[in-house]
Amino acid sequence: MIIIRAKYLIPNPEHCIENGAVAVNGTRIHRVGTFDEIKALANVDKIIDLGNAVILPGLINIHTHLDLTNLHNRIKPTSNFTHWVFQIVGARIRWKDEDYISSIEKGINLCVESGATTVADIANTEYSFPVLKNSPLRKVVYKEVIDLNPDHAKDVLKKTQTELSTITTDDLLSIGLSPHAPYSVSRELYQAIAQFSVETGTPVCTHIAETQDEIEFLTKGTGSFPAFLRQIRAMPDNWQPPGLTPIQYLNETGILRNRPLLIHCNYVTDEEISLIKSFGASVAFCPRSHHFFGHTNHPVQKLIDAGINVGLGTDSLASNDTLSIIDEMKFLFLHHSIPPKTLLTMATINGAEALGLESKVGQVKEGFEADLCGIRLPDAYGGNIYDQLLDTTSKNIFTMIAGAICYQA
């Protein structure tokens, strides 16, 4: 049995224990309390003292593209989304197998070092599943599906099913499907994936309501997307706009029935927020990626006020500077004035619920998986623990996943 102690322990956002400690037995949390209570346990093999730090539930990053990690600082900030995509394609045009593998591996290391214990990654390369499977992270890997031609829907789903059948899940790996977005997935393919998800219980996520151009494409069939899709030969000749907003469109395809993870939701109406709430879908908000693209105010507070489950993602290093969820929390605290306890809930409990892992992770709780992180606090600081946690100088120094120490500064 291992005991981890620190100046503070926050087992869940509403509860703080001074001189806190966690006893870990195997992969699970055995006891939670003060160090004076925990140190009396029998069969203790090791005590790890993190000192002036706070022990938290492992942080949960519910939207990443780890295969883009090596593009950090190589993509110029832009409000033109299709221009950003062209930059991505151009930057990777000469990549070899080892470039994709090293990019994913670097992303994994950055996540672990920053205190993330669970990630939801979008896999659009053949390397994502094997590299992530061999990593220490707890992960939900969503196989990305792209095809706008309605005639291809059945064959694309069949091929995707075959690929998923070759992947062996385990205690740390779950798999899902990610129909990419309304401008890259046909209505028929969305419908086929929705039906498959209902029948098999496969989790689904999709990028949605990300740009104003996406809304114009769906409602009118105009904007930057038609020309972009024709340029990459992905636009079917007979394609017609559905005349619906993004969330209305998902509702029509049946995807909302699957309680999906909706990525971004940068531009949603009050009516769409009601739809999201009524179907129990979750939203992945990526604050600094949102800022990178120069989007206007995100409706995050409206979503929270509506009772929608909102978690935090980093997106990729092609539109962000770090893969740190703590950095996302600090950014939101500074720019959106969201209370620290709410931010911590978004980064832990909400993230777990969004990924269907709420009975295993997201809290430091007896019987839960021993996924923990330890955040070093400022040396001289008079504020409360939550303000200290979000101070610019706080930093992760310890990461444990399923009882295994994966990082210790």
Side-chain angles (χ1 to χ4, degrees):
M1 186 141 38
I2 300 174
I3 292 176
I4 304 102
R5 68 174 298 197
K7 186 175 181 180
Y8 299 101
L9 162 64
I10 299 180
N12 63 66
E14 296 299 328
H15 188 201
C16 180
I17 302 170
E18 290 194 38
N19 189 26
V22 184
V24 173
N25 189 12
T27 67
R28 295 184 181 272
I29 294 167
H30 178 65
R31 283 284 300 278
V32 179
T34 66
F35 179 62
D36 290 339
E37 294 167 337
I38 302 296
K39 69 181 180 182
L41 292 173
N43 303 316
V44 175
D45 302 308
K46 186 178 184 181
I47 296 175
I48 298 170
D49 189 345
L50 300 181
N52 184 32
V54 54
I55 301 167
L56 299 176
L59 303 175
I60 299 175
N61 185 343
I62 66 170
H63 183 59
T64 61
H65 293 265
L66 296 180
D67 61 298
L68 300 180
T69 303
N70 282 347
L71 295 183
H72 187 220
N73 287 332
R74 295 186 59 190
I75 308 297
K76 294 176 182 176
T78 175
S79 59
N80 186 323
F81 183 76
T82 54
H83 179 241
W84 179 82
V85 176
F86 273 122
Q87 288 189 74
I88 298 285
V89 173
R92 297 206 295 183
I93 201 162
R94 291 186 176 84
W95 275 25
K96 299 180 174 64
D97 292 359
E98 54 266 30
D99 296 311
Y100 287 98
I101 292 168
S102 74
S103 194
I104 298 165
E105 289 177 338
K106 183 177 180 181
I108 290 165
N109 291 334
L110 290 172
C111 287
V112 172
E113 289 171 12
S114 64
T117 55
T118 300
V119 301
D121 190 51
I122 306 296
N124 80 341
T125 76
E126 62 189 280
Y127 315 100
S128 297
F129 279 103
V131 176
L132 275 157
K133 185 174 175 64
N134 291 325
S135 80
L137 280 168
R138 191 177 305 280
K139 53 265 171 183
V140 180
V141 185
Y142 292 90
K143 167 68 180 170
E144 190 164 68
V145 184
I146 294 177
D147 199 302
L148 195 56
N149 191 322
D151 298 335
H152 297 169
K154 287 183 180 178
D155 289 340
V156 170
L157 180 61
K158 189 174 180 180
K159 181 184 176 187
T160 302
Q161 286 176 265
T162 301
E163 290 175 6
L164 291 183
S165 70
T166 66
I167 299 160
T168 305
T169 58
D170 56 39
D171 290 341
L172 293 177
L173 171 65
S174 305
I175 59 175
L177 279 178
S178 178
H180 174 253
Y183 53 83
S184 57
V185 175
S186 68
R187 181 198 313 253
E188 290 75 7
L189 185 51
Y190 264 124
Q191 289 170 334
I193 290 171
Q195 185 62 34
F196 174 74
S197 173
V198 166
E199 293 170 355
T200 61
T202 304
V204 173
C205 73
T206 189
H207 299 78
I208 196 73
E210 186 172 0
T211 66
Q212 294 281 16
D213 275 335
E214 176 190 324
I215 296 169
E216 185 176 347
F217 179 69
L218 285 175
T219 54
K220 301 175 183 176
T222 55
S224 65
F225 274 115
F228 165 70
L229 291 167
R230 290 188 188 98
Q231 195 168 353
I232 62 171
R233 299 181 180 179
M235 185 78 168
D237 293 335
N238 58 349
W239 188 87
Q240 293 294 322
L244 299 168
T245 62
I247 302 299
Q248 289 172 338
Y249 182 60
L250 288 188
N251 185 31
E252 190 195 76
T253 65
I255 284 288
L256 286 185
R257 286 182 297 154
N258 305 101
R259 299 187 72 218
L261 174 57
L262 304 177
I263 303 161
H264 299 306
C265 289
N266 294 333
Y267 300 99
V268 287
T269 64
D270 290 347
E271 179 195 345
E272 289 179 297
I273 289 172
S274 295
L275 266 178
I276 294 168
K277 170 64 176 173
S278 67
F279 281 98
S282 294
V283 172
F285 178 31
C286 305
R288 290 178 300 149
S289 182
H290 181 270
H291 178 72
F292 174 93
F293 286 106
H295 293 303
T296 54
N297 292 336
H298 191 279
V300 59
Q301 194 60 57
K302 276 190 172 185
L303 294 167
I304 293 169
D305 291 345
I308 291 166
N309 185 61
V310 182
L312 295 177
T314 57
D315 220 330
S316 75
L317 289 195
S319 62
N320 207 339
D321 280 328
T322 76
L323 296 177
S324 167
I325 289 295
I326 280 284
D327 286 350
E328 299 294 337
M329 293 165 67
K330 291 176 182 179
F331 181 89
L332 277 178
F333 186 55
L334 186 64
H335 294 281
H336 285 260
S337 302
I338 297 175
K341 289 183 182 180
T342 303
L343 293 173
L344 190 52
T345 302
M346 294 167 74
T348 56
I349 292 172
N350 289 8
E353 182 180 336
L355 302 180
L357 299 173
E358 63 269 28
S359 64
K360 299 172 68 173
V361 298
Q363 300 180 63
V364 183
K365 188 174 179 181
E366 292 170 11
F368 269 42
E369 293 288 327
D371 290 10
L372 310 168
C373 68
I375 309 295
R376 172 78 70 192
L377 300 171
D379 289 329
Y381 199 99
N384 69 53
I385 176 58
Y386 297 95
D387 289 341
Q388 291 184 59
L389 173 63
L390 297 176
D391 184 78
T392 54
T393 61
S394 70
K395 184 181 180 183
N396 184 67
I397 57 169
F398 179 84
T399 308
M400 171 179 275
I401 303 171
I405 299 168
C406 301
Y407 175 74
Q408 191 168 1

